[in-house]
């Protein structure tokens, strides 16, 4: 089964291609990550519901057998996204992401006119880099010199219930924390997928319940 994954940026696209996709091939599930078109000539960047809606409609109508899923950050999600305002009532980011996913699924299914099972939304709390805090000791081995920042990374991780709770403001989002803590500096496209390989998918699923739930939904497609 082909599963198209709308990814927010190049880092997420490579994470899906290099880390997630190989683990699902044995189940007959073939992930095909795609950057969302954000303009006539560009891909990636800010994700709005209008952009997602148009791309989802085109994708699901062009390939009537494919399933579509998303890998989008909760951090910085565009305000007009379905259910986002209501979801902000939840203080827990996992509940907030789940709430947005329910509203988003209903909106896309209605827009496209497809069966509900063909769209499996995933909103990652708060962003991809949160997953890298699933094993900070492994993360610190990614780049020579990062081992000196292990204590800083451990302190960040110990301050939150799970990696998916590392909070969302410009100065405290996971990617910003990595940029601040690490030397040489963390660069998203260069280090993200590489660090994910060190941390491992197993650690991410063990530590990040919402991410684990998405992986289980993907694996369930084989049944």
């Amino acid at each position: 089964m082909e599963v198209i994954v709308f990814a927010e940026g190049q880092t997420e696209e490579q994470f899906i291609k290099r880390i997630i996709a190989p683990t699902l091939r044995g189940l007959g599930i073939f992930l095909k990550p795609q950057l969302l078109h954000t303009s006539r000539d560009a891909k990636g960047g800010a994700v709005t519901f209008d952009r997602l809606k148009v791309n989802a409609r085109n994708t699901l109508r062009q390939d009537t057998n494919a399933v579509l899923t998303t890998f989008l950050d909760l951090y910085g999600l565009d305000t007009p996204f379905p259910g986002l305002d209501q979801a902000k009532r939840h203080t827990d980011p996992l509940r907030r992401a789940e709430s947005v996913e329910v509203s988003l699924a209903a909106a896309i299914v209605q827009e496209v006119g497809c069966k509900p099972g063909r769209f499996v939304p995933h909103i990652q709390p708060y962003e991809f880099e949160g997953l890298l805090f699933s094993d900070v000791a492994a993360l610190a081995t990614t780049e020579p010199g990062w081992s000196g920042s292990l204590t800083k990374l451990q302190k960040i991780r110990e301050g939150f219930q799970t990696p998916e709770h590392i909070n969302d403001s410009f100065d405290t989002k996971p990617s910003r924390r990595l940029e601040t803590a690490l030397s040489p500096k963390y660069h998203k496209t260069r280090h993200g997928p590489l660090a994910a390989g060190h941390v491992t998918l197993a650690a991410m699923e063990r530590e990040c319940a919402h991410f684990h739930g998405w992986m289980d939904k993907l694996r369930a497609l084989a049944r």
Side-chain angles (χ1 to χ4, degrees), residues 124-134 163-164 166 174-175 208:
Q124 181 59 44
Y126 277 101
E127 60 177 354
F128 159 75
E129 277 79 8
L131 298 171
L132 302 182
F133 284 88
S134 297
E164 293 181 310
I166 297 178
S175 59
C208 302

Side-chain angles (χ1 to χ4, degrees), residues 134 200-209 211-213 215-216 219:
S134 297
T200 74
L201 192 60
M204 294 175 189
E205 289 201 64
R206 183 177 64 248
E207 297 294 316
C208 302
F211 177 75
H212 175 65
M215 290 296 300
D216 275 350
R219 284 186 283 258

Side-chain angles (χ1 to χ4, degrees), residues 1-3 20-31 205 215-223:
M1 172 182 290
E2 182 177 84
V3 179
I20 297 179
T23 70
L24 298 178
R25 288 180 193 139
L27 298 175
I29 300 169
F30 303 96
L31 297 189
E205 289 201 64
M215 290 296 300
D216 275 350
K217 291 175 185 176
L218 295 181
R219 284 186 283 258
L221 295 173
R223 298 194 291 271

